[in-house]
């Protein structure tokens, strides 16, 4: 049993309840602040002010929107399955809250005289808990689309099921190299394994795959196909209103916070201070409550990436989205795992240091890049039909042998039978 597990095993029940309430309040508060910050940042990127009326800098706008949703009329479609329609938002939001319980926020601290770790639970298979929670969360989306009794939510839920299956595989494969280097599935153990260096620098490809997969996993732009307004009205939550819709909204943003915190834990050293702050005072900034500040800063940086992508990239087509998952991320992740395995085996058996591998890897990357530029592009086949002739101004003109079809003969309109009778009668009178 690790030191963190021993501390958490001795936590009294009141301390566990404090941690549960603190995590719930933190996630809800982060949701409100993330929504406000997203609207402000996107407004800044699009040269408009964003929310600026409710409170200073519009910071109370998210709270006002939440209160407005609470007082909206709760409508249930006639064809909806009552119980499944009611449980779908709960199933979607609950796993997002549960998966944050294995994230280590900080080291050992003292809370009201009790020595503990800033983490709710420490499990030997913490990463599997996160993957399982993400898998269960998609059931809420699928059941919401099916139970609504409407075609557009059903299409959105089917898209979400295919999306999660595709990108959860890539996300799981990005974990493999991290597990190999850390030697454990425990989140606290992975953070401790990054004391000498972040895995984002040691395993850059796994880091990039995870960043792409976490955006696809949370249904965020440019991968927001289950909520495509231009195609599916509103997606899987089209038939939802009031607090049920608010739960879907809450689940989406809590998932964003969770995957950002997991990225911090796996690749950016978790709660460890970034270099060179980690060298100050012999590592004093990695003790006490200071690590909570570093953890929050790294998590907020990932949340900013979510907002940045939404303001920058258009929505992908569905076939492009699936091709990226199955034809790019999954095959390259498998190749990367083989490469990492070979490197670790050679280094452990032959005693080759990391510098040699970096030099060899950099040289191979340069050679492959040069080869990619030197390979000639494939010529496009010539079109079979001749192109339209162009005038001097560059506009297409009609062909010279164009023949205009003859004008059809004009048909004489036949008066209706009643008009003939009336004309004959008038002629007789005359």
């Amino acid at each position: 049993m690790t030191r963190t597990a021993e501390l958490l095993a001795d936590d009294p029940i009141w301390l566990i309840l404090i941690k549960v309430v603190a995590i719930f309040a933190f996630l809800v508060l982060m949701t409100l602040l993330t929504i406000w910050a997203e609207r402000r940042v996107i407004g800044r990127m699009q040269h408009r002010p964003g929310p600026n009326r409710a409170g200073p800098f519009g910071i109370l706008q998210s709270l006002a929107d939440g209160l407005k949703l609470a007082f909206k009329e709760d409508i249930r479609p006639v064809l909806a399955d009552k119980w499944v329609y009611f449980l779908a938002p709960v199933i979607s939001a609950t796993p997002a809250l549960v998966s944050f319980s294995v994230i280590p926020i900080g080291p050992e601290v003292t809370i009201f005289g009790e020595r503990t770790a800033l983490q709710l639970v420490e499990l030997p298979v913490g990463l599997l808990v996160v993957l399982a929670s993400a898998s269960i969360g998609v059931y809420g989306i699928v059941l919401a689309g099916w139970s609504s009794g409407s075609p557009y939510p059903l299409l959105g839920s089917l898209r979400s099921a295919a999306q999660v299956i595709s990108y959860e595989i890539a996300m799981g494969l990005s974990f493999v190299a991290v597990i190999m280097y850390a030697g454990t599935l425990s989140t606290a153990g992975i953070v401790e394994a990054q004391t000498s260096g972040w895995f984002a620098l040691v395993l850059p490809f796994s880091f990039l795959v995870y960043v792409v997969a976490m955006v696809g996993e949370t249904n965020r732009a440019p991968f927001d196909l289950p909520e495509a307004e231009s195609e599916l009205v509103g997606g899987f939550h089209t038939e939802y209103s009031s607090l049920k819709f608010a739960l879907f909204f809450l689940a989406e943003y809590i998932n964003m916070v969770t995957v950002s915190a997991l990225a911090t834990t796996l690749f950016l050293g978790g709660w460890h201070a970034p270099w060179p702050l980690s060298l100050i005072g012999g590592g004093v900034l990695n003790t006490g409550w200071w690590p909570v500040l570093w953890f929050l800063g790294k998590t907020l940086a990932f949340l900013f990436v979510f907002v940045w992508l939404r303001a920058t990239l258009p929505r992908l087509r569905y076939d492009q989205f699936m091709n990226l998952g199955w034809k790019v991320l999954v095959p390259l992740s498998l190749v990367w795992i083989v490469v990492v395995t070979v490197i670790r085996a050679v280094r452990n058996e032959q005693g080759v240091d990391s510098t040699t591998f970096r030099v060899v890897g950099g040289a191979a990357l340069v050679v492959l890049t040069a080869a990619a530029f030197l390979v000639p592009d494939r010529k496009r086949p010539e079109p079979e039909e001749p192109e339209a002739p162009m005038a001097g101004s560059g506009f297409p003109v009609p062909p010279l042998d164009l023949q205009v079809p003859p004008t059809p003969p004009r048909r004489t309109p036949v008066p209706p039978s009643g008009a003939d009778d009336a004309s004959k009668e008038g002629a007789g009178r005359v």
Side-chain angles (χ1 to χ4, degrees):
M1 183 180 291
T2 62
R3 173 63 178 168
T4 303
E6 292 177 356
L7 287 173
L8 296 177
D10 294 335
D11 283 349
I13 186 65
W14 60 266
L15 185 55
I16 296 176
L17 293 177
I18 288 176
K19 289 183 178 181
V20 170
V21 174
I23 289 177
F24 179 78
F26 168 74
L27 292 176
V28 174
L29 182 63
M30 284 294 294
T31 299
L32 295 177
L33 294 178
T34 303
I35 295 172
W36 168 78
E38 180 176 7
R39 298 173 69 179
R40 291 284 296 187
V41 171
I42 292 180
R44 182 70 173 175
M45 290 181 176
Q46 297 174 350
H47 300 284
R48 54 184 179 82
N52 59 352
R53 297 289 184 180
F57 303 103
I59 199 170
L60 298 179
Q61 185 64 54
S62 299
L63 181 62
D65 292 339
L67 293 176
K68 179 187 70 174
L69 281 175
F71 290 100
K72 287 273 189 179
E73 182 181 2
D74 191 6
I75 301 173
R76 179 168 63 89
V78 177
L79 300 178
D81 189 300
K82 179 180 178 181
W83 292 109
V84 179
Y85 179 84
F86 176 78
L87 290 176
V90 180
I91 297 174
S92 184
T94 303
L97 296 167
V98 172
S99 58
F100 200 87
S101 60
V102 298
I103 303 296
I105 304 176
E108 299 180 20
V109 295
T110 301
I111 300 178
F112 299 121
E114 187 73 25
R115 196 69 180 171
T116 183
L118 290 177
Q119 185 176 349
L120 183 58
V121 292
E122 165 61 11
L123 299 174
V125 289
L127 287 183
L128 297 184
V129 172
V130 176
L131 285 176
S133 299
S135 302
I136 295 175
V138 73
Y139 277 93
I141 297 177
V142 175
L143 292 177
W146 175 80
S147 64
S148 296
S150 179
Y152 289 116
L154 180 60
L155 289 175
S157 63
L158 294 178
R159 282 184 176 185
S160 182
Q163 178 171 334
V164 170
I165 292 172
S166 304
Y167 282 78
E168 214 168 67
I169 294 175
M171 179 181 288
L173 292 176
S174 68
F175 292 169
V176 174
V178 175
I179 296 169
M180 292 172 58
Y181 267 80
T184 179
L185 285 166
S186 167
T187 52
I190 292 174
V191 172
E192 290 298 328
Q194 299 179 72
T195 305
S196 57
W198 293 356
F199 285 157
L201 303 177
V202 181
L203 304 169
F205 185 77
S206 297
F207 176 63
L208 293 177
V209 170
Y210 178 81
V211 170
V212 176
M214 76 177 187
V215 179
E217 185 79 9
T218 52
N219 300 332
R220 291 285 300 182
F223 304 143
D224 55 339
L225 294 168
E227 306 173 11
E229 297 88 352
S230 59
E231 310 159 32
L232 304 177
V233 184
F236 60 90
H237 52 61
T238 300
E239 303 294 343
Y240 281 88
S241 62
S242 190
L243 288 178
K244 296 185 181 67
F245 177 79
L247 281 178
F248 281 119
F249 215 64
L250 184 69
E252 177 180 338
Y253 280 88
I254 289 179
N255 275 324
M256 289 172 54
V257 177
T258 301
V259 296
S260 299
L262 186 62
T264 300
T265 302
L266 295 180
F267 297 101
L268 297 187
W271 44 263
H272 288 291
W275 184 89
L277 296 178
S278 58
L279 304 178
I280 298 176
V284 68
L285 295 181
N286 285 328
T287 58
W289 292 89
W290 282 104
V292 178
L293 180 62
W294 318 132
F295 180 85
L296 289 177
K298 298 172 186 178
T299 304
L300 292 176
F302 278 106
L303 291 174
F304 176 76
V305 172
F306 277 103
V307 178
W308 193 2
L309 291 176
R310 179 179 177 181
T312 306
L313 299 178
R315 182 182 297 122
L316 294 179
R317 288 203 321 263
Y318 190 71
D319 58 331
Q320 295 173 336
F321 174 75
M322 299 303 289
N323 286 339
L324 178 62
W326 288 103
K327 296 183 179 181
V328 178
L329 296 183
V330 173
L332 292 182
S333 297
L334 293 174
V335 174
W336 173 251
I337 291 172
V338 174
V339 171
V340 171
T341 305
V342 172
I343 291 175
R344 287 187 60 81
V346 172
R347 189 177 65 179
N348 294 336
E349 296 181 3
Q350 305 297 330
V352 182
D353 57 352
S354 302
T355 305
T356 305
F357 278 111
R358 291 173 183 173
V359 172
V360 174
L365 182 61
V366 170
V367 171
L368 291 176
T369 305
F373 281 105
L374 293 176
V375 172
D377 295 335
R378 185 176 59 180
K379 295 183 178 180
R380 295 183 179 181
E382 295 294 335
E384 298 180 358
E385 298 181 359
E387 297 183 357
M390 307 296 288
S393 59
F395 295 99
V397 297
L400 299 178
D401 57 347
L402 178 63
Q403 296 182 0
V404 180
T407 304
R410 305 181 68 176
R411 299 177 59 183
T412 304
V414 180
S417 58
D420 292 345
D421 297 341
S423 61
K424 291 179 181 178
E425 183 179 355
R429 289 178 180 176
V430 172

